[in-house]
Amino acid sequence: KNGGWRRHVAFEEGALPVLTDVVSEVGDPAIAAAAARCLAMMAAANSKVREAASTAGTVRLLVKMVSNARKGIDWSDVQAAAAEAIWSLIYSNHANHAEAVRRGSVSAMLNLAKTSHNELTRMWSMACLSHLAEDFCESSTGECPWVQVSFAARGVEPDRRGHSDNNARVTVDSSPVRLAMYTQGVIALAVVLAAKRSSVCPDFLRPPIG
């Protein structure tokens, strides 16, 4: 789980299409949730996974998992895992980000955050919204220059890794997404959820770029 090399080996051995097939079938909720979490962990450690997923239809299936709760079955763990996987796959990946938006993930995540009674599900739906709303750039971290400036303002030295981050090209412009979220009431929702003082940690760490 915590070894980046294990996740890399799993990907190299063909885990992505297998896990995508499991997600597409959506049979046993426990198995579907486990498959989605594996996708999330693999993608968080390896940009190659995110790139490969963009041509495998993985994001489309995950958004469907979030939206299609089954009657009489507790679907919250599946939805939390699917939201986590989308959060991971859209990080600094234009194709996955665009596919998630096109498939209605903004409305799906907002609805999930509003209606779910599961704290973990609400947390991951809001985390996914944060990545959907974020701009990404062709920099060492995937962050844009204006984010690096905010780091400097706080006295934190950005990790440049030899790249010219100050001139990084924008790869994902989420301005339309942020506007859509605003019109759908994301700010009011975030305030309400913050006031609940959830026991689930709301400080999400971005996945490392590999």
Side-chain angles (χ1 to χ4, degrees):
K1 178 180 178 179
N2 295 319
W5 68 272
R6 292 190 184 95
R7 288 174 283 189
H8 175 74
V9 169
F11 170 65
E12 293 296 331
E13 291 296 324
L16 178 64
V18 174
L19 293 170
T20 300
D21 284 344
V22 173
V23 167
S24 69
E25 293 172 3
V26 193
D28 186 300
I31 295 175
R37 288 195 180 97
C38 285
L39 285 168
M41 287 187 287
M42 277 205 313
N46 196 332
S47 60
K48 291 182 179 179
V49 176
R50 298 192 290 274
E51 189 63 34
S54 68
T55 60
T58 309
V59 170
R60 172 181 60 83
L61 294 169
L62 289 166
V63 175
K64 187 177 179 180
M65 283 177 70
V66 170
S67 305
N68 294 350
R70 294 188 176 183
K71 292 183 178 180
I73 299 177
D74 183 1
W75 208 243
S76 58
D77 285 345
V78 176
Q79 290 172 316
E84 180 184 359
I86 296 168
W87 169 82
S88 190
L89 286 165
I90 64 177
Y91 184 84
S92 197
N93 185 286
H94 180 273
N96 287 334
H97 187 279
E99 179 69 358
V101 172
R102 190 169 74 86
R103 294 291 174 178
S105 60
V106 172
S107 296
M109 294 300 166
L110 280 168
N111 183 63
L112 192 59
K114 290 176 183 177
T115 60
S116 178
H117 297 292
N118 185 300
E119 286 185 278
L120 193 63
T121 304
R122 290 198 303 267
M123 187 202 80
W124 280 117
S125 61
M126 293 302 288
C128 189
L129 285 169
S130 75
H131 273 185
L132 286 166
E134 190 165 356
D135 296 331
F136 294 106
C137 287
E138 207 172 54
S139 66
S140 59
T141 62
E143 294 173 337
C144 293
W146 44 93
V147 178
Q148 300 288 3
V149 169
S150 72
F151 271 113
R154 296 198 301 270
V156 179
E157 200 61 37
D159 177 9
R160 299 197 180 284
R161 305 183 194 179
H163 291 264
S164 180
D165 288 346
N166 286 331
N167 298 311
R169 182 176 64 89
V170 175
T171 55
V172 177
D173 181 358
S174 297
S175 299
V177 178
R178 290 192 292 272
L179 179 59
M181 287 184 185
Y182 172 75
T183 60
Q184 293 182 53
V186 69
I187 295 176
L189 173 61
V191 171
V192 169
L193 292 178
K196 289 184 176 181
R197 299 179 182 274
S198 170
S199 61
V200 178
C201 178
D203 298 322
F204 332 105
L205 295 176
R206 289 193 181 95
I209 297 301

